[in-house]
Amino acid sequence: MPGSRTGRPPVQRAVRRPAAGPPRDNPVLRLHKRVRRAWDRPLTAYYLILGGSLLITVLGLVMVYSASQVTALQMSLPGSFFFRKQFLAAAIGGLLMLAASRMPVKLHRALAYPILAGAVFLMVLVQVPGIGMAVNGNQNWISLGGSFQIQPSEFGKLALVLWGADLLARKQDRTLLSQWKHLLVPLVPVAFMLLGLIMLGGDMGTAIILTAILFGLLWLAGAPTRLFAGVLSIAALIGVILIKTSPNRMARLACIGATEPKSGAADCWQAVHGIYALASGGIFGSGLGASVEKWGQLPEAHTDFIFAVTGEELGLAGTLSVLALFAALGYAGIRVAGRTEDPFVRYAAGGVTTWITAQAVINIGAVLGLLPIAGVPLPLFSYGGSALLPTMFAIGLMIAFARDEPAARAALAMRPPRFGRKRGAGGLTGPRRWNTMRRRASAARTSGER
């Protein structure tokens, strides 16, 4: 054959392929690993609770100032009237949050009964003629003089969380929660007493939040499905009766999904204009302070419907940011409740998470037209000192629990002290810098120097 001197066919050599290099790292998987490592760090819940709550509060102050100016001017008040009151409440709430975050768990448990007794006492005073006052048809306020008022039912949420968590923790330590009588009594009767005092004033929105806290505690305590369903059925039946017997509540129910201010016999002005505000915001909003609906078109623009003004001025980006912050708070609360071995911490963290999450869902769902308007504020965001103070104390409670995790305590102990070294007159820091200068001076001396 041609090309072969021996007549044999030429040997066909295999084509060499370039050696395969190391497999390329998928950037999506790499990002996923980094995010997962960040979420699994010991202090993640601590930073999420602290940072998320502070961001929500600060953004809420900005939006309260923007949304309340027109209302204040219409009432012949200074434009910053509501903002100054909210700022004062936030400052007091910040001190409460700091105090709660530094309290040991034993002190939180010791405060459960005094807070419950104080909340019940104030809720009874609301029904006393001459002491309680009605706002928007609900008799659930006490005047403190001047323009300051207090709503005791807001403190009832904190009382139910602390007292219920302490009660269930003590019964779990005695292995009594396996008996349905100990699981329900006295938790459910006391919760129903609080609900009755609230419903005497006509505030069904707060009653719904307390019911959610009660079911959250029962769920965490491991209530059997039949028992859980039975209590839920009773609560639902009572809710249906209360709605059917109130024309105002029936009208609110009829405004779900309404697109016209007048939907049949129901007046859906507030619900529809809330949708108008969200729809006109677009992606990035009309600009801070440039809302149109707050000029007398949208009632309660700085309280129950502040989320609608946020959507109009900050757009979809602003509303999604608020939702992300509440989602971060909810995740951190679930993580704290799931990683602790202390039953009180688990019940209290779960109760606070249920409280804030359920209230945020009910408020935002009403603004979006997906739920009836319940008249509950957006936690940490809406105007109202009575709602802000117990909520910030509850956030401090969560911060204390997040700091108390064993891994978090170890991580905090390893951090260098921020204010441990004093600065000298020349601006040089503490002993380490001074020792370095002394060694350099000693090295520069001659052997004969003393």
Side-chain angles (χ1 to χ4, degrees), residues 409-427:
R409 284 202 307 266
L412 289 172
M414 292 176 62
R415 295 194 308 183
R418 296 181 180 179
F419 307 103
R421 299 188 183 97
K422 297 180 180 179
R423 294 185 176 271

Side-chain angles (χ1 to χ4, degrees), residues 50-292:
L50 178 61
S53 59
L54 290 180
L55 286 175
I56 294 174
T57 305
V58 171
L59 183 58
L61 287 173
V62 174
M63 293 311 305
V64 164
Y65 181 64
S66 175
S68 64
Q69 286 180 323
V70 176
T71 304
L73 294 176
Q74 289 176 344
M75 299 171 64
S76 300
L77 296 171
S80 60
F81 175 77
F82 293 104
F83 168 76
R84 285 181 293 176
K85 290 184 62 179
Q86 186 73 356
F87 184 81
L88 176 62
I92 299 174
L95 296 177
L96 291 176
M97 184 177 71
L98 180 62
S101 66
R102 296 295 179 177
M103 289 181 185
V105 175
K106 291 183 179 180
L107 184 55
H108 284 298
R109 299 187 68 168
L111 290 175
Y113 283 86
I115 291 178
L116 177 64
V120 171
F121 177 72
L122 291 176
M123 291 166 69
V124 171
L125 284 182
V126 168
Q127 306 304 322
V128 177
I131 298 179
M133 58 180 300
V135 177
N136 294 331
N138 293 336
Q139 181 82 15
N140 52 6
W141 295 83
I142 296 177
S143 177
L144 299 180
S147 61
F148 292 94
Q149 304 161 354
I150 187 174
Q151 187 177 0
S153 57
E154 293 290 340
F155 295 89
K157 303 172 187 177
L158 178 63
L160 181 59
V161 168
L162 286 176
W163 177 81
D166 178 68
L167 175 70
L168 293 176
R170 286 189 288 107
K171 290 196 173 187
Q172 181 174 332
D173 292 338
R174 299 177 185 177
T175 64
L176 297 176
L177 291 182
S178 58
Q179 307 175 28
W180 67 270
K181 294 181 181 179
H182 287 283
L183 187 63
L184 295 181
V185 180
L187 178 62
V188 175
V190 171
F192 276 32
M193 177 191 67
L194 293 175
L195 291 173
L197 291 174
I198 293 173
M199 289 308 301
L200 283 177
D203 187 5
M204 190 167 184
T206 305
I208 293 174
I209 305 301
L210 250 71
T211 305
I213 295 173
L214 172 63
F215 285 116
L217 292 174
L218 290 176
W219 180 270
L220 291 169
T225 305
R226 290 181 298 176
L227 185 63
F228 196 82
V231 178
L232 182 61
S233 301
I234 295 174
L237 179 62
I238 296 175
V240 169
I241 295 174
L242 292 174
I243 292 174
K244 287 286 187 180
T245 55
S246 173
N248 182 32
R249 297 183 187 125
M250 288 296 297
R252 293 186 180 188
L253 194 65
C255 291
I256 297 178
T259 57
E260 296 294 335
K262 195 69 175 179
S263 179
D267 184 5
C268 302
W269 180 274
Q270 187 180 26
V272 172
H273 277 271
I275 297 296
Y276 290 168
L278 290 172
S280 60
I283 302 297
F284 298 106
S286 58
L288 191 62
S291 170
V292 176

